[in-house]
Amino acid sequence: MELGDLLRQAQRLTNDTKMDDEMPRVDRTISQVLQATQELHSRVTLKGTRDLQAHMLLGSKGVDLPKLTQKLESLSARKTFEPLDPVSDTDVRAFLKNERENAILSVIDETNRGIFESVERQKWRRIYAEWGVEKRSLLNALVGPKQDEFPDVQRQTVSTILAENPTPRSLLNRTEELYAQQIIAYNQSKIQRGHRTNLLAAFTQLASDNFHDLLIAEMWSVLQFMVDNVTTSRTIDPLTSRLSSQQFVQQARAYLERRYRQYMNTVINENRVLAKRGGIPSAYSMVNAFVGITFVVPSSLVGLLDVNNNRPLWALVYYSLRCGDLGAACKFLHEVGVCQDLYRLLAMMKEGIKGDPYARLEGVLKLEYNSKLRCCTDPYKKAVYAYVLACDPQNSHPELMRSIDDFLWMQLSILRQDDDREYNIEQLTYSGLQRLILEKYGENYFNAREKVPLYFTVLVLTGQFESAIEFLARTEANRPHAVHMAIALNEIHMLGTPSSIHQPLLSANPKDPAPMKRLNLVRMLVTYAKCFELTNTTEAMQYYFLLRHFKDDNGTSLMLSCVSDLLVENCDQEMIELIFGHEADESNQSGIFAQFHTMDFDKYMLAGMVGDELAHRSNFETAIKLYFIGGQLDKVMRLVCSLLSQVVHQPPAESSMRNRLCQIIDQLDEMRSVMRVDVEPHVLATYSMLTQLLIFFDHYHNKDSQLATELLANYRITPNNCSEVDECVANLKRLGPEVAKVLPDILLAAMDLVYEEYVKLKGGSGSRSSFGSRDSTQTDDWKGVNREGSLRHLRTKAKALTNMAATVPYRMPTATNKRLVQLEILMH
């Protein structure tokens, strides 16, 4: 290759490698490239390459690795509670040390956990209370439009007279008030006369007379019709009896047949000229007239069989069955004289005859139906055979099913019990029909949101009371009706309820046949009554009375639990008097709870239960009021001891807790004089000591040094000399921990009294010591003691107080020890 060609090729390669970026070109010689390669290789192979790579990686993400390394090195891996070192089995000293430290750590951990949980509960309770106040303030702030925006409106002044004792406005509307009145009347009848009225019939009559809503009245009517004349028992599960009994199927068919008779009579009355209904009023004449009106047009007879005088035979038989009269159907068949086997089978059904002749005749007719009638052009004849033979559930008979009632009646007519099924033939069972309505078709098919009464009626007619009531309770307007339907069914033991009160509103038990559901009446009723328990407490209590037979997780009656929750959340004086009555009433008949005197529990049990919950929530003063009502004076004494230990050392002040406790103590002592109190000896001793300390601190704050000192000396609370320290400490151990809480204040007060006396004597006043004596002999001895002896005695007593502070097995506050030592030093 020539040099010129080589130069042109190099230029071409150079042009090809040129980049479009505006970066400056770097021209390097072969030696420079070799040098750069060697430097790069040395950096990669030298120690610290990984650090360099780490710097490059973290630097690309914005992390400063040197600073991060410094921060990590500054962290301390030492924990607050380091694990204990393992010890050998033979090292007893180390083993005991570890056990002691383990016990201390477990106590600290448990205490921290308990404090955290308590603070968390208090926090959320406070947050909910603040949210409630904020919501009420926001609702109160909502006002209507300003009158200035409507200048043409004539303003009229309406005189307003406020009641002397205003009561909160009821949250019950007219419908709910009417229901509540019926509940009150029902409960009073049960309590006073010992027997229950028919609550379902009372509600049905109420809906018919007072609600002025035909749809609501119809829903109550169908519910009452379905359970009318149905035997119930407390010992049998309602769902089991409902599925095993044919009464519900017969009741549903009877209801649909009654409605169709009403429809037929309405059509006949509207077309009396065409009907020509003469003769004796009966189902036979009614069906004859109705068919005459229905088939007045000749074209309507096309495809029908056995037509005589413009009246098709099978239509007459079908409508006779549709209105529930087998006798009329038999009469029509007998008059025409066709299908003698079917006539005999209908006659046997009418008479209720069962057995081998019935089974053989039924088998013959089934063969005839399967071989000939499946392709029959007369839909009425096919429907009659399907009804009589209870077969062919897949045939929906669309020519005849003009409404949901017709479809449901046909499905109910061809039902077979599980023990009566022929498994070689497809047949419909009761549970199969329920699944068809609830699951296959469901709410969308029936347009249930817009046609609430229709879907409710369909569910009730198929024996699904719980699902029907739950569906009705979803809308605000129908919820009161649903609640009271559930109450009425439960009172006659016809409502399926779950075993646990914590189940959802509608739940399924795996042991129940599908698609049966169970309705949580407790959840529904409590949610309903909670809305008005503050404004209509009497009515709410009547509803809670209906839950007296239900039990919560602790085995307590739910009525007791609901009323207890009401009082715990709203336990003011007005609510206590409303529930339990006034204290001045000696008959114990005032108060709402006194009305329910036939229960296994009374207001004393309720008061104790509420008091326990309030005490658990640290609302001690209100809990004491409830314990007084419940007569549980031992619990009152315990709470008084707990509260006194916190405020007994404080000076008296008006409306303070200390003064309120003084009133409670007076009331407690008065009741103890007429009532026996079973309480542990140490609690009684603690209570007695704290009440005496209350008197002591009253004297101390009133500057009655003589009386305060004598009280301490009489009860051996503090020592007079060092030899009495052990005795006073032993007396303190026999008392409850409440006295130990007050001990620092007692010692400080006693030391102040000693120092005050010391200052008086030191000043040369010559006044007699306020520590005059513990008995008359000592008093006589003290009269002749000189001033130095008195001062020495006061120093000895101060020393004894300091020794007692150091001897007691309780941790004294540092400030208390410091003050005691300072005063003792000042007396030397």
Side-chain angles (χ1 to χ4, degrees), residues 284-315:
Y284 176 84
S285 62
M286 178 184 64
V287 171
N288 206 356
F290 180 78
V291 170
I293 297 172
T294 305
F295 297 96
V296 66
V297 180
S299 60
S300 61
L301 299 173
V302 176
L304 302 184
L305 305 177
D306 301 320
V307 178
N308 184 18
N309 194 20
N310 293 330
R311 284 174 169 77
L313 169 65
W314 297 108

Side-chain angles (χ1 to χ4, degrees), residues 1 8 17-18 44 50 95 100 139 212 219 308 326 494 627 635 637 770 790:
M1 180 180 293
R8 284 192 295 273
T17 57
K18 284 185 178 180
V44 171
R50 295 182 179 178
F95 175 79
R100 179 177 179 274
L139 291 176
H212 307 296
M219 287 192 293
N308 184 18
L326 293 177
M494 290 296 297
Y627 285 145
K635 296 183 178 180
M637 194 174 293
S770 61
S790 298

Side-chain angles (χ1 to χ4, degrees), residues 110-312:
E110 183 178 358
T111 304
N112 289 338
R113 185 166 56 252
I115 292 174
F116 177 81
E117 293 175 356
S118 176
V119 171
E120 190 74 7
R121 288 194 301 270
Q122 295 289 345
K123 180 192 73 174
W124 283 113
R125 189 177 296 119
R126 183 63 181 173
I127 288 175
Y128 288 146
E130 291 177 355
W131 285 355
V133 173
E134 187 66 18
K135 285 190 290 186
R136 285 194 294 271
S137 63
L138 290 175
L139 291 176
N140 293 334
L142 295 177
V143 296
K146 298 179 180 179
Q147 289 294 333
D148 297 337
E149 298 177 2
F150 304 92
D152 297 334
V153 177
Q154 297 181 359
R155 299 178 177 85
Q156 296 181 356
T157 303
V158 180
S159 59
T160 303
I161 301 177
L162 298 178
E164 295 182 359
N165 298 317
T167 57
R169 180 178 178 272
S170 173
L171 295 181
L172 299 176
N173 57 31
R174 178 178 176 275
T175 300
E176 294 168 343
E177 287 181 352
L178 292 174
Y179 276 131
Q181 292 174 6
Q182 288 291 337
I183 292 292
I184 294 173
Y186 174 77
N187 289 339
Q188 290 178 349
S189 174
K190 175 65 178 175
I191 294 172
Q192 295 175 3
R193 293 189 290 273
H195 66 87
R196 63 183 68 189
T197 59
N198 192 336
L199 187 59
L200 184 59
F203 283 149
T204 304
Q205 188 65 33
L206 177 68
S208 176
D209 297 342
N210 296 283
F211 290 164
H212 307 296
D213 190 333
L214 295 179
L215 296 178
I216 299 298
E218 185 65 23
M219 287 192 293
W220 275 107
S221 177
V222 64
L223 187 63
Q224 184 193 10
F225 193 92
M226 283 296 295
V227 302
D228 196 18
N229 300 323
V230 176
T231 56
T232 59
S233 174
R234 282 181 175 270
T235 59
I236 302 177
D237 184 72
L239 299 187
T240 303
S241 63
R242 194 183 308 165
L243 292 174
S244 61
S245 175
Q246 277 279 15
Q247 288 180 300
F248 291 97
V249 177
Q250 296 170 0
Q251 288 291 101
R253 283 175 50 189
Y255 178 80
L256 293 171
E257 290 165 356
R258 186 187 69 173
R259 288 183 58 172
Y260 203 78
R261 284 197 298 270
Q262 296 173 355
Y263 165 72
M264 293 172 69
N265 284 321
T266 302
V267 173
I268 293 172
N269 292 331
E270 292 176 353
N271 302 273
R272 293 182 179 181
V273 177
L274 293 176
K276 298 179 182 179
R277 180 181 182 179
I280 302 173
S282 62
Y284 176 84
S285 62
M286 178 184 64
V287 171
N288 206 356
F290 180 78
V291 170
I293 297 172
T294 305
F295 297 96
V296 66
V297 180
S299 60
S300 61
L301 299 173
V302 176
L304 302 184
L305 305 177
D306 301 320
V307 178
N308 184 18
N309 194 20
N310 293 330
R311 284 174 169 77

Side-chain angles (χ1 to χ4, degrees), residues 471-607:
F471 165 73
L472 197 64
R474 296 180 198 170
T475 55
E476 187 69 27
N478 294 318
R479 188 169 297 117
H481 310 298
V483 171
H484 292 86
M485 287 176 180
I487 291 173
L489 289 178
N490 183 70
E491 289 299 310
I492 58 175
H493 315 297
M494 290 296 297
L495 186 72
T497 56
S499 57
S500 173
I501 62 175
H502 302 294
Q503 291 289 335
L505 187 59
L506 193 68
S507 60
N509 191 333
K511 298 181 180 179
D512 296 332
M516 296 302 292
K517 302 290 191 298
R518 292 185 178 270
L519 184 71
N520 194 338
L521 174 67
V522 174
R523 183 182 294 272
M524 175 179 282
L525 196 151
V526 171
T527 304
Y528 176 76
K530 281 285 184 183
C531 298
F532 55 84
E533 65 179 7
L534 294 182
T535 58
N536 302 82
T537 309
T538 303
E539 288 80 0
M541 292 280 288
Q542 297 289 340
Y543 281 98
Y544 292 150
F545 178 71
L546 299 171
L547 300 176
R548 62 194 180 277
H549 298 306
F550 290 89
K551 304 293 183 182
D552 60 8
D553 297 337
N554 299 324
T556 308
S557 172
L558 270 179
M559 179 190 179
L560 207 61
S561 299
C562 291
V563 180
S564 175
D565 292 341
L566 169 63
L567 284 169
V568 168
E569 297 296 335
N570 308 278
C571 199
D572 52 10
Q573 186 62 31
E574 182 179 357
M575 182 63 72
I576 293 176
E577 292 180 355
L578 180 63
I579 300 297
F580 298 104
H582 297 278
E583 297 180 3
D585 185 13
E586 299 180 356
S587 62
N588 291 329
Q589 296 301 318
S590 62
I592 302 175
F593 206 76
Q595 302 176 13
F596 311 108
H597 55 81
T598 60
M599 296 181 297
D600 297 333
F601 45 86
D602 50 18
K603 71 175 186 179
Y604 305 108
M605 185 183 297
L606 173 63

Side-chain angles (χ1 to χ4, degrees), residues 711-731:
L711 188 63
L712 286 179
N714 291 335
Y715 285 90
R716 301 279 184 173
I717 303 175
T718 58
N720 276 341
N721 49 61
C722 294
S723 62
E724 296 181 359
V725 171
D726 293 337
E727 179 185 357
C728 292
V729 172
N731 293 336

Side-chain angles (χ1 to χ4, degrees), residues 402-414:
R402 298 182 176 87
S403 66
I404 295 296
D405 285 4
D406 295 332
F407 168 77
L408 198 57
W409 173 82
M410 177 58 71
Q411 298 299 315
L412 290 169
S413 300
I414 63 176

